[in-house]
Amino acid sequence: MGDLLAKSDPPERLTAHLAATLEGAAAVRRRVGAIAVPARVAEGLFWPAVCLAALCHDAGKIPYGFQAMLRGRIRSWGERHEVVSLGFLPGLITDERLLVWVATGVATHHRALDGGHSSLVRAYGGASEQEWRDRFEPVPGDVAGELREWLYETAWQAGLTTAPCPDGPLDVIASARRVFDLLLDQWEMPASADEGLTAVLLQGAVTLADHVSSAHSTLDAYQPLGADFRPLLEKAFADRGRNLRPHQTGAAEIDGHLLLRAPTGSGKTEAGLLWAAAQATAITEATGGVPRVFFTLPYLASINAMAVRLGTLLGDETLVGVMHSRAASYHLAAAICPEDGEDAQADAARKAVSRAAATRLFRETVRVGTPYQILRGVLAGPAHAATLIDAANSVFVLDELHAYDPRRLGYIMATAGLWERLGGRVAVLSATLPDALAHLFRDTLRRNVHLVEASAAGAPRRHRLALRDRHLTDPDSVDEIRGRLTRGESVLVVANNVADAQHLFGELAQETEVAYLLHARFRRMDRSAIEAAIAERFGTGRPRRPGLVVATQVMEVSLDVDFDCLFTSAAPLEALLQRFGRVNRVAERPPADVVVHQAAFAPRRGRGEDHADGVYPREPVEAGWVILGRHDGAVVDEGEARLWLDEVYGTAWGQEWHDEVLRHRTEFTDAFLNFAHPFSSRDDLGERFDELFDGTEAVLSSDRDAYKASLGQVPDVRAAGRLLAERFLIPIPFWAAPLTTWEKRLGVRIVEADYDERLGLGEIRGPAAREYQAGEVL
């Protein structure tokens, strides 16, 4: 038995891997704690089943064929080892209910049980015992007996079995086939809601334990946002001569879900963190686990900035995981310097890949990312069920959740209901939280939802509103902005689309010594450099310096910057109030000008309903414009501004919005949160999910050779080479994929287009140009 391998690169003994996976399962159990749904369904069997499944999950690697494959004697064995693993369970487990749960975890830790071309039912369902023997044997009987004894002894020492050690010969294949049939009987009929969810959580716990073991990694068992956080924050405030504000202490004293309405610059983030620390402490006391805290934001730049901010606040950046699709790129950008040579770049890439991989293995207990990354757990299956178990008994802070996108809002609300079922607690933080959104969350969540508001009494007035009936790109608008630049002010200009932003930058950049353009269509490395430069020059609390930033919506959320004045295109009121928040941020000056320009309305791509500058639906933008018109020239009362939002959502459009959110909430629940067949393939749902939330990326044809060279820059770590190559990627939405060509050898899309490091993506040329309309939002 000592010669049996579990893995070949590097070689790892089978028993060592099984023991490590059992340790991984115990670590998952300690961190997650008791979960209400499995406790009801499995009646105390859930975590023993997870641990036993982890111990036995790869026992089926003993056939000669599998071992020959690991040693390179044959290219592929062609069978599934987890099916053979089932044969070791009956002698170890005498309780049939526990046997079914353990077998479920063992059989499903790599493949779908049913559905899809690679499912276990398709491969082995209906096969006779002789067919099983022909496909799996030979299995060394003496080694099987020895492994059975080792499994029993290990389980007994871990307190997982009290049954006597089985005696006599072991027919692994016959036993495996009987248990496989038992599994098919168990999951043939639709499961109840709680039973199906429990099954997916079981699958997730086993796969997570296996991943942690295979990576020789660990799970953090410390939550820095716990009972010690409030004293830490109070001391940090005291050192700056400040005290906690009433809405911050109010959030810290809540037990349950939170809706926090507080203006930008009022310490909203700290209030959310104080609430999260209180909830994490309460969950630990109730479940015995170590809750994870997820802090989500809508934009990449704001996520990266928040990760830095949290790491600084906690005194250790390694305590914070960055949880988005470009996490490794974030770590690389933080580590690499422009003057680094290839060796230094390669070393930084290795470290960045390692940090990102640790987060993918759910190491950190504090994570910053997009809601999308957590929502993906509902796809279940071996690839995503671990995300679901990791979300159990956790704390979710949804910062600046935009209400005006009803589809994504409906999906997030549906998933928030699932998080609550799993013992989680949810907070929504917003400077612009309309009552309509608060009502929807109260309707979605079953536990008490507490509303905390920052008092507007005595709050300083930061902004003076001015409206312009002309478009932001109008020559008169450009002249007005130019005048503010010549006076030496710091000016923020926010356009609704990339084309307008590029045009305005071209008109204005020469009017000041320092000018930056920021939008989503830059190469990753260029965008990182631009964001860092903007934060360095215009960061809140820094000496006031003249200059220009022209941007799109990427400037709206959590970028801690401060400008003298703002010129912006009309947009939904939530978006505008966020843009206002980047001006006179801490009210250290008299009210600063925020100038809003009329949008241009037209159908998208020449079809459908009108949108403001091709981005926002017409109705809420026009409703907001009418309200703003009543306050043209006035100083903005941010407490009153919330009432403006309620007026917009009280319109006929607001009722349509409400109904659409509920429709999407139901749609997402039916499509993704129904686990009646928990082990059926969800590949089709995965494709739909990606189309709804994700975009794609492309490399400029002029960067193709550099991209290819970077792929091979770190030959010992392929992922590090790919990361270095990803510096050249430009994000584009899913619908824009036809504007590119797919290069199979490099595994990347290529786009033939103009590009400038200061302007970003320009005119698209070549065959794709026939699909592209000039000025269209990408």
Side-chain angles (χ1 to χ4, degrees), residues 393-429:
N393 293 333
S394 289
V395 180
F396 303 88
V397 182
L398 309 179
D399 195 10
E400 300 303 353
L401 188 64
H402 284 174
Y404 51 78
D405 184 343
R407 184 183 67 179
R408 295 191 185 193
L409 179 61
Y411 294 171
I412 290 172
M413 284 195 165
T415 311
L418 176 64
W419 293 335
E420 183 185 50
R421 285 179 65 197
L422 295 175
R425 305 192 181 191
V426 182
V428 176
L429 318 182

Side-chain angles (χ1 to χ4, degrees), residues 407-731:
R407 184 183 67 179
R408 295 191 185 193
L409 179 61
Y411 294 171
I412 290 172
M413 284 195 165
T415 311
L418 176 64
W419 293 335
E420 183 185 50
R421 285 179 65 197
L422 295 175
R425 305 192 181 191
V426 182
V428 176
L429 318 182
S430 179
T432 59
L433 180 71
D435 283 345
L437 179 57
H439 293 326
L440 281 169
F441 264 94
R442 286 196 169 101
D443 179 66
T444 298
L445 301 172
R446 298 177 182 178
R447 287 184 52 136
N448 288 337
V449 179
H450 305 270
L451 175 65
V452 172
E453 294 189 76
S455 173
R461 301 292 189 257
R462 299 186 296 167
H463 309 123
R464 183 182 302 277
L465 177 65
L467 266 59
R468 301 289 184 264
D469 287 331
R470 57 182 182 263
H471 195 263
L472 186 62
T473 59
D474 186 275
D476 288 343
S477 302
V478 174
D479 285 341
E480 184 178 5
I481 299 170
R482 186 178 289 119
R484 304 300 283 263
L485 291 170
T486 58
R487 284 155 52 180
E489 297 186 27
S490 60
V491 179
L492 173 62
V493 179
V494 181
N496 286 339
N497 62 52
V498 175
D500 286 350
Q502 290 174 327
H503 169 77
L504 288 163
F505 185 79
E507 292 287 314
L508 295 166
Q510 70 274 14
E511 303 296 334
T512 180
E513 291 184 6
V514 177
Y516 301 102
L517 173 64
L518 180 63
H519 54 73
R521 308 306 169 209
F522 280 98
R523 296 183 303 188
R524 289 190 187 180
M525 57 183 175
D526 297 331
R527 178 166 174 176
S528 295
I530 293 168
E531 289 170 357
I534 291 173
E536 174 66 25
R537 186 170 184 90
F538 302 107
T540 303
R542 294 184 178 274
R544 308 203 66 80
R545 302 163 73 184
L548 168 71
V549 172
V550 180
T552 58
Q553 297 88 335
V554 297
M555 287 293 290
E556 285 178 14
V557 178
S558 287
L559 281 179
D560 196 9
V561 289
D562 189 6
F563 293 85
D564 290 326
C565 60
L566 166 73
F567 293 85
T568 176
S569 294
L573 274 178
E574 293 103 316
L576 289 178
L577 292 173
Q578 292 291 349
R579 296 174 191 183
F580 293 177
R582 311 304 127 188
V583 175
N584 198 13
R585 190 165 175 80
V586 293
E588 63 180 12
R589 293 168 291 124
D593 291 333
V594 290
V595 184
V596 183
H597 295 72
Q598 179 65 276
F601 296 98
R604 280 178 169 173
R605 297 174 66 81
R607 299 186 299 272
E609 299 177 351
D610 281 355
H611 283 69
D613 297 323
V615 177
Y616 301 108
R618 180 171 193 142
E619 292 86 350
V621 175
E622 286 193 328
W625 180 262
V626 170
I627 294 168
L628 292 176
R630 299 201 298 263
H631 302 276
D632 188 9
V635 173
V636 176
D637 180 337
E638 294 183 47
E640 183 184 358
R642 180 183 65 79
L643 302 179
W644 302 353
L645 291 173
D646 291 339
E647 184 176 341
V648 170
Y649 286 98
T651 63
W653 171 85
Q655 184 59 52
E656 293 176 4
W657 167 88
H658 176 273
D659 295 343
E660 191 174 356
V661 173
L662 292 182
R663 184 172 70 254
H664 287 302
R665 187 181 70 178
T666 300
E667 172 188 287
F668 193 79
T669 299
D670 292 344
F672 293 98
L673 305 185
N674 180 357
F675 301 109
H677 297 282
F679 303 116
S680 293
S681 171
R682 288 188 159 205
D683 292 344
D684 58 327
L685 294 182
E687 292 174 5
R688 286 177 54 193
F689 200 82
D690 287 339
E691 289 177 5
L692 291 172
F693 284 96
D694 210 3
T696 185
E697 292 175 301
V699 170
L700 296 165
S701 56
S702 57
D703 284 336
R704 180 194 174 281
D705 291 342
Y707 180 88
K708 181 179 180 181
S710 294
L711 288 174
Q713 191 170 328
V714 194
D716 57 322
V717 183
R718 292 181 60 188
R722 181 159 292 280
L723 175 58
L724 288 170
E726 286 175 356
R727 293 175 296 170
F728 297 97
L729 290 175
I730 301 174

Side-chain angles (χ1 to χ4, degrees), residues 309-350:
R309 185 175 175 185
L310 275 178
T312 301
L313 187 61
L314 298 175
D316 185 352
E317 65 173 17
T318 65
L319 294 173
V320 181
V322 180
M323 186 184 58
H324 55 67
S325 60
R326 299 171 208 161
S329 294
Y330 160 77
H331 292 303
L332 180 64
I336 205 167
C337 298
E339 63 272 15
D340 283 344
E342 287 195 2
D343 290 345
Q345 290 180 1
D347 185 57
R350 292 187 188 94

